[in-house]
């Protein structure tokens, strides 16, 4: 015998399905628009057309890139000064890679049983380039956005135009560590290893500032979030410190060493 559902039964089932739909992730609060509101949409750098990616020494020393270099340093300084709780802050973006080992946007990162969270990055596998390329694009884009803010603060129209052109040429520099160091210099560029840098601001004032490429202070918010592998780029040695590797307090990363202090 075939049982046909009554109209009333069909209506009841439909009502249930509808209520499931309205309570489902397809509700207005989960619309594409709503979901994208809170997200950062990453697009390729198109300002200025195709630009040459420079070695960091070239960017620093070639007079043609003087303003580009200055914008990079000043923009990085601002990016690093952003509130660590902001997803697109220097700290937040560093956490997408791992170190600080924090979850980004509420998504737990992978765990290896050694750490409960181990970042999201892919190393030692085929996904290395596919993962790191968009990651660096994000880092580059956020610094570029800070550079545009700096340019927009310039009041003199001619000066502003010159620096706006410089911003359009900005692309994240690389450090070619396989290149022979210039005579009398260490392989580690001084612009990374020096505590202070001399900068000429758009208003013409030259000042020595704390080098934003030199260090970063992490505010530790939990007992295990910032365990780190110590890396000494001067000797290129890498040590995995033995446990306990995690301390509360503040951690300062310098280019030549990592300093952990237990005072908060
Ligand atoms: C860097 O600047 C700070 C503040 O002016 C100063 O105390 C420090 O000695 C400078 N470092 C070097 C290596 O010159
Ligand atoms: C130029 O800008 C810098 C950074 O904002 C500031 O410290 C300096 O006092 C300014 N110089 C003049 C002459 O306004
Ligand atoms: C960077 O290092 C200098 C010199 O050791 C220190 O004065 C400064 O507070 C450090 N800055 C950060 C952000 O850690
Ligand atoms: C760090 O602080 C957290 C929260 O206050 C605590 O649970 C944890 O045991 C501390 N870790 C260490 C290594 O002291």
């Amino acid at each position: 015998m075939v049982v046909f559902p009554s109209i009333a039964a069909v209506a009841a089932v439909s009502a249930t399905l509808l209520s499931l739909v309205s309570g489902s992730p397809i509700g207005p609060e989960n619309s594409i628009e709503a979901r994208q509101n809170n997200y950062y949409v990453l697009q390729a750098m198109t300002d200025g057309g195709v630009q040459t990616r420079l070695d960091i020494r070239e960017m620093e020393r070639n007079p043609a890139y003087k303003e580009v270099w200055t914008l990079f340093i000043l923009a990085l300084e601002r990016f690093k000064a952003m509130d660590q709780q902001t997803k697109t802050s220097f700290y937040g973006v560093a956490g997408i890679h791992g170190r600080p080992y924090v979850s980004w946007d509420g998504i737990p990162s992978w765990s290896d049983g050694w750490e409960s969270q181990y970042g999201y990055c892919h190393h030692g596998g085929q996904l290395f380039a596919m993962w790191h390329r968009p990651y660096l694009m994000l880092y580059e884009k956020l610094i570029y956005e800070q550079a545009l803010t700096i340019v927009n603060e310039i009041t003199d129209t001619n000066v502003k135009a010159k620096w706006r052109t410089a911003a359009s040429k900005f692309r994240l520099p690389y450090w070619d560590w396989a290149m022979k160091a210039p005579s009398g210099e260490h392989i580690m560029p001084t612009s990374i290893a020096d505590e202070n840098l001399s900068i000429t601001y758009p208003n013409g004032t030259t000042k020595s500032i704390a080098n934003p490429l030199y260090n970063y202070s992490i505010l530790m918010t939990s007992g295990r979030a910032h365990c780190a592998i110590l890396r000494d780029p001067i000797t290129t040695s890498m040590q995995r410190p033995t446990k306990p590797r995690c301390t509360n307090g503040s951690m300062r990363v310098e280019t030549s060493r990592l300093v952990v202090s237990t005072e908060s």
Side-chain angles (χ1 to χ4, degrees):
M1 191 175 88
V2 180
V3 179
F4 291 97
S6 69
I7 298 287
V10 170
V13 169
S14 307
T16 310
L17 284 177
L18 274 177
S19 72
L20 278 177
V21 169
S22 59
S24 81
I26 314 167
E29 73 282 7
N30 286 302
S31 67
I32 286 180
E33 290 79 7
R35 277 180 284 153
Q36 288 184 350
N37 265 346
N38 207 16
Y39 285 76
Y40 184 88
V41 179
L42 181 60
Q43 289 170 312
M45 292 277 285
T46 51
D47 194 11
V50 177
Q51 295 291 330
T52 311
R53 194 174 292 289
L54 304 169
D55 180 83
I56 192 163
R57 283 193 178 96
E58 165 89 7
M59 188 190 271
E60 183 193 7
R61 294 171 190 186
N62 186 335
Y65 290 95
K66 190 174 174 9
E67 286 83 18
V68 179
W69 169 254
T70 306
L71 276 180
F72 169 46
I73 294 299
L74 296 177
L76 182 61
E77 193 181 43
R78 289 198 187 198
F79 183 34
K80 286 175 61 188
M82 283 175 74
D83 182 348
Q84 294 188 350
Q85 300 308 313
T86 306
K87 284 195 290 189
T88 50
S89 65
F90 180 87
Y91 178 91
V93 171
I96 300 178
H97 191 272
R99 299 187 195 124
Y101 294 140
V102 287
S103 54
W104 197 82
D105 203 24
I107 314 280
S109 63
W110 67 278
S111 160
D112 68 350
W114 185 42
E115 299 291 358
S116 55
Q117 293 208 52
Y118 207 38
Y120 305 85
C121 58
H122 284 267
H123 285 189
Q126 298 94 318
L127 286 176
F128 181 86
M130 275 84 91
W131 193 93
H132 285 80
R133 192 172 157 76
Y135 178 70
L136 282 173
M137 278 170 67
L138 173 66
Y139 183 72
E140 176 179 71
K141 198 65 179 278
L142 292 169
I143 294 173
Y144 161 77
E145 285 176 3
Q146 294 288 345
L148 287 186
T149 308
I150 293 167
V151 170
N152 284 332
E153 289 167 3
I154 302 172
T155 44
D156 183 300
T157 320
N158 292 332
V159 176
K160 188 178 195 154
K162 182 178 166 191
W163 287 77
R164 180 65 187 84
T165 303
S168 75
K169 291 182 181 167
F170 169 73
R171 299 295 183 273
L172 199 63
Y174 61 93
W175 165 34
D176 183 357
W177 47 263
M179 191 177 78
K180 197 166 179 281
S183 161
E185 289 184 32
H186 198 276
I187 188 67
M188 174 80 124
T190 50
S191 57
I192 300 174
D194 285 355
E195 247 180 87
N196 303 318
L197 278 183
S198 174
I199 281 297
T200 303
Y201 288 97
N203 64 14
T205 300
T206 299
K207 250 170 116 170
S208 168
I209 62 164
N211 182 3
L213 289 163
Y214 176 73
N215 60 0
Y216 181 72
S217 285
I218 291 172
L219 172 69
M220 294 181 100
T221 48
S222 81
R224 54 114 194 91
H226 309 296
C227 310
I229 291 172
L230 303 181
R231 193 192 292 265
D232 182 344
I234 300 286
T235 60
T236 69
S237 72
M238 193 162 104
Q239 319 132 30
R240 291 201 160 205
T242 50
K243 288 189 174 184
R245 305 169 319 105
C246 319
T247 7
N248 286 345
S250 69
M251 184 170 90
R252 199 167 80 236
V253 184
E254 299 184 352
T255 48
S256 55
R257 62 209 156 100
L258 180 139
V259 186
V260 177
S261 98
T262 45
E263 303 129 44
S264 306

